[in-house]
Amino acid sequence: MRQPLSRELSNLLERGRDRQLRLAVTGLSQAGKTAFLTSLVNQLRHAGVEARLDLLPAAREGRLLGAQRLNQPDLGVPRFPYDPGMAALRDTPPRWPEPTRGISELRLQLRYRPARSGWLTPEIAHLTLDLFDYPGEWLLDLPLLQHDFYSWSQAQALHEGEQRRGLFSEWLAAVELLDPASEADESQLAALADDYAQGLRRAKQAGFSDLQPGRFLLPGELEGAPVLQFFPLPQLTASKAALEALPANSLYATLAARFRYYQQQVVKPFYRDHFRRFDRQIVLVDVLGALNAGPERFEDLSQALRQLMHSFDYGKRSLLTRLFAPKIDRLAIAATKADHVTPDQHGHVVQLLEALLAEPLKDLRFANVPVKALSLAAIRATEAREVVHEGKRSPALRGTTLEGEDVLVYPGDVPARLPTGSFWQQQGFDFPGFRPMESTSEALDHIRMDAAIDWLIGDKLA
């Protein structure tokens, strides 16, 4: 939905003065994006009062005065559900905020005292921060823009892992019998597309990440629409030229047409209206969840992230690009759920994250885009403890599982490099899901949220 002209002019003026920042909080499903956004708003609103933000100089020095929520920049988009999220965290027992099922936005105004004074420096300055939330499942569609139907079908054929193929076994058996040159049967297409979507949902439940199309997992208003009634043909043997010469009513041509429509009418508008407008970005990665799930799922996460990182526009900003063609000029990559391992393992978590994204990080650094890797827990769920056994001290975690059981555990060692076959055969890494910790403070307890905030917006609060 287009914004009123007055609001667009106001936004343009603020961007020209570099007082407006659009932050993309990006993450695949279950990476903790909703929890991160809830904590981010909470920390900024309680800065200078109860929030512990020692790694953010503006807060440590008492210059960050806090934040207020402003009216939505786009009246056609729901507000990010911060209040329901906080209500869930304050419930008895505490609950995690509900994951995102649609697009939402939130605008904050931060007030702070500049670090330096001068004739042109105000005593109190402000920064407008725009946040955008969306289902992680939809993010998986951005790499589709790099494909046509033929190349996408070939890419899906690369998913040859035994566990993943088992989740699609019935659909694969049916698709192998199809003749791309045969006339398309609408009822057959709808049934096979539904079978494919069910396979994607089973794969998500089993811990896989590289799942396309993402709208099949969370269709929203597109539920039952023909635009979602397509699927790849992973067993193609004919050449691309021969297949594209087939008549318009053929199975192949019908699927290819629906794929193109999905790209043009679903994926491109989502990318154009949101992701191309961002200035800063944090990519949240559930490294520990993939490590816990095993080698096939870990490699699947790696593949999904590699594709995803190629979908964004990174580069230095000038005044003109800031006004008319924003590019992401600073990036954070964060391994979430750092509180699910003991503090002595946090360094290994960051090293593993950097190894997982080694190629994209090389490209970013070559392009001179500032990037920082870190581990964090947006909302803390455990406490670090020590246990003594036969005179030896060992680190441990105390927390409450999602089922309500109080536990004291050592989840295991995190590898500092990409796991080899021997690791998967011998590893004892295993952690349960924890519910949020109860807290009497209005500010949420966290691990390194202040470091993430400093990297993403700290330079604007100087």
Side-chain angles (χ1 to χ4, degrees), residues 12 51 67 92 161 163 183-184 186 212 219 228 241 261 267 401 413 447:
L12 194 64
T92 305
Q163 295 177 10
E183 184 175 349
E186 290 291 336
Q212 296 171 341
L228 297 188
Y261 186 91
V267 183
T401 66
D413 296 333
I447 297 175

Side-chain angles (χ1 to χ4, degrees), residues 274-293:
H274 301 293
F275 282 93
R276 289 186 61 189
R277 300 164 53 204
F278 285 115
D279 306 304
R280 302 276 170 94
Q281 181 184 26
I282 181 168
V283 179
L284 305 177
V285 184
D286 184 10
V287 177
L288 300 178
L291 196 65
N292 206 42

